[in-house]
Amino acid sequence: MDLSDFIVRKCPATAMYIPNFITSEEEQRILSHVERTPKPKWTQLLNRRLINYGGVPHPNGMLAEEIPQWLQMYVDKINNLGLFETQKANHVLVNEYRAGQGIMPHTDGPLFYPLIMTISCGSHTVLQFSKRENRETSAECNDGESSANREVLFKLILEPRSLLILKDELYSEYLHSIDEVESDVLCDRICNYENCETTYKMGDSLLRGTRISLTIRNVPKTTKMKLKFF
């Protein structure tokens, strides 16, 4: 796959957007597995819930756990793109966003190889970007800083079954967030229309459903002990 064909050229370096990275059948299998996940596996936050697979990232190192096979196949598909260079993805963050839920501006931070890859399932969303100011912290569980008075510079629409890749300046110098709204009005600040599967009309309003996102990453610092996942 020549990834240069998927570069979003109307935003700072570097975003790549691949529509239909997975099939409808694969999407339904993912949604089915996530739906059957036992409640104790979830971490409930104020505005969404999440699951860590592969371990829980920590500044002292992640105690590596085995990723279940139904999910590992998508990790392998990501690794086959070769963007982690000599590294391999070893962590998946599953987020569930219901209509009206979102996440405040944040970066993924220094615990990860500076690359984000996210598969969207079930519903679209719109990811917003603002410039990082001085010191910002990562936000896996505390959702970072207030969005008040923070200018949104550009947006990306993420369709179901798509893959979004963020690296370079977009990883280190910009915050990304999702507004807590039940629908998205399409505007000229969305800069990946030409990369999308669907042809959209400016001013249209898209209702959100429940979205499951798989954010697949590499945690460079891990402990040697492996815990088998059951």
Side-chain angles (χ1 to χ4, degrees):
M1 181 182 293
D2 182 1
L3 291 177
S4 65
D5 292 341
F6 302 101
I7 293 175
V8 181
R9 304 191 184 279
K10 294 182 179 179
C11 69
T14 300
M16 301 177 191
Y17 181 82
I18 305 176
N20 290 316
F21 182 72
I22 60 172
T23 66
S24 296
E25 291 76 16
E26 289 173 320
E27 178 187 36
Q28 289 307 312
R29 284 199 295 270
I30 290 169
L31 294 172
S32 178
H33 278 288
V34 171
E35 185 178 358
R36 297 199 307 268
T37 303
K39 190 172 181 179
K41 183 69 176 173
W42 291 92
T43 299
Q44 182 67 57
L45 305 182
L46 182 63
N47 57 350
R48 69 189 195 286
R49 61 177 185 164
L50 58 84
I51 313 169
N52 282 283
Y53 285 110
V56 179
H58 188 275
N60 293 332
M62 182 177 75
L63 184 61
E65 300 175 356
E66 185 174 338
I67 295 173
Q69 186 54 44
W70 70 265
L71 193 53
Q72 183 63 47
M73 62 185 294
Y74 303 105
V75 175
D76 293 341
K77 191 171 183 178
I78 290 292
N79 283 328
N80 288 338
L81 297 177
L83 288 175
F84 286 108
E85 299 180 350
T86 60
Q87 305 296 315
K88 296 287 187 182
N90 59 2
H91 179 262
V92 183
L93 181 67
V94 176
N95 274 298
E96 180 192 71
Y97 296 94
R98 297 185 181 275
Q101 295 181 333
I103 185 169
M104 294 175 70
H106 69 284
T107 70
D108 279 34
L111 297 184
F112 306 98
Y113 186 93
L115 179 66
I116 309 168
M117 300 204 189
T118 300
I119 298 172
S120 296
C121 300
S123 175
H124 85 282
T125 198
V126 172
L127 196 63
Q128 304 184 142
F129 292 83
S130 53
K131 191 68 174 175
R132 185 176 180 179
E133 298 173 1
N134 298 322
R135 182 180 63 85
E136 306 280 357
T137 57
S138 70
E140 295 299 14
C141 292
N142 62 10
D143 279 8
E145 310 241 346
S146 170
S147 58
N149 301 318
R150 188 184 299 281
E151 182 184 4
V152 173
L153 299 176
F154 57 92
K155 305 178 182 183
L156 299 172
I157 185 168
L158 309 185
E159 300 167 295
R161 298 177 296 282
S162 68
L163 175 70
L164 175 68
I165 301 167
L166 299 179
K167 63 190 189 81
D168 303 327
E169 191 176 347
L170 279 184
Y171 186 94
S172 60
E173 301 302 323
Y174 286 83
L175 307 177
H176 52 276
S177 62
I178 298 172
D179 257 358
E180 295 184 331
V181 296
E182 295 189 356
S183 63
D184 295 285
V185 178
L186 302 183
C187 66
D188 59 5
R189 283 190 290 177
I190 295 175
C191 57
N192 66 321
Y193 286 127
E194 64 186 33
N195 302 82
C196 291
E197 174 196 17
T198 301
T199 300
Y200 295 101
K201 183 180 177 182
M202 205 74 65
D204 279 355
S205 179
L206 302 183
L207 288 174
R208 291 185 190 174
T210 297
R211 173 175 172 261
I212 299 296
S213 67
L214 310 180
T215 299
I216 300 173
R217 302 175 289 199
N218 170 263
V219 180
K221 189 176 180 181
T222 60
T223 64
K224 293 181 180 180
M225 184 183 300
K226 284 272 189 178
L227 297 179
K228 187 171 179 60
F229 176 86
F230 293 97

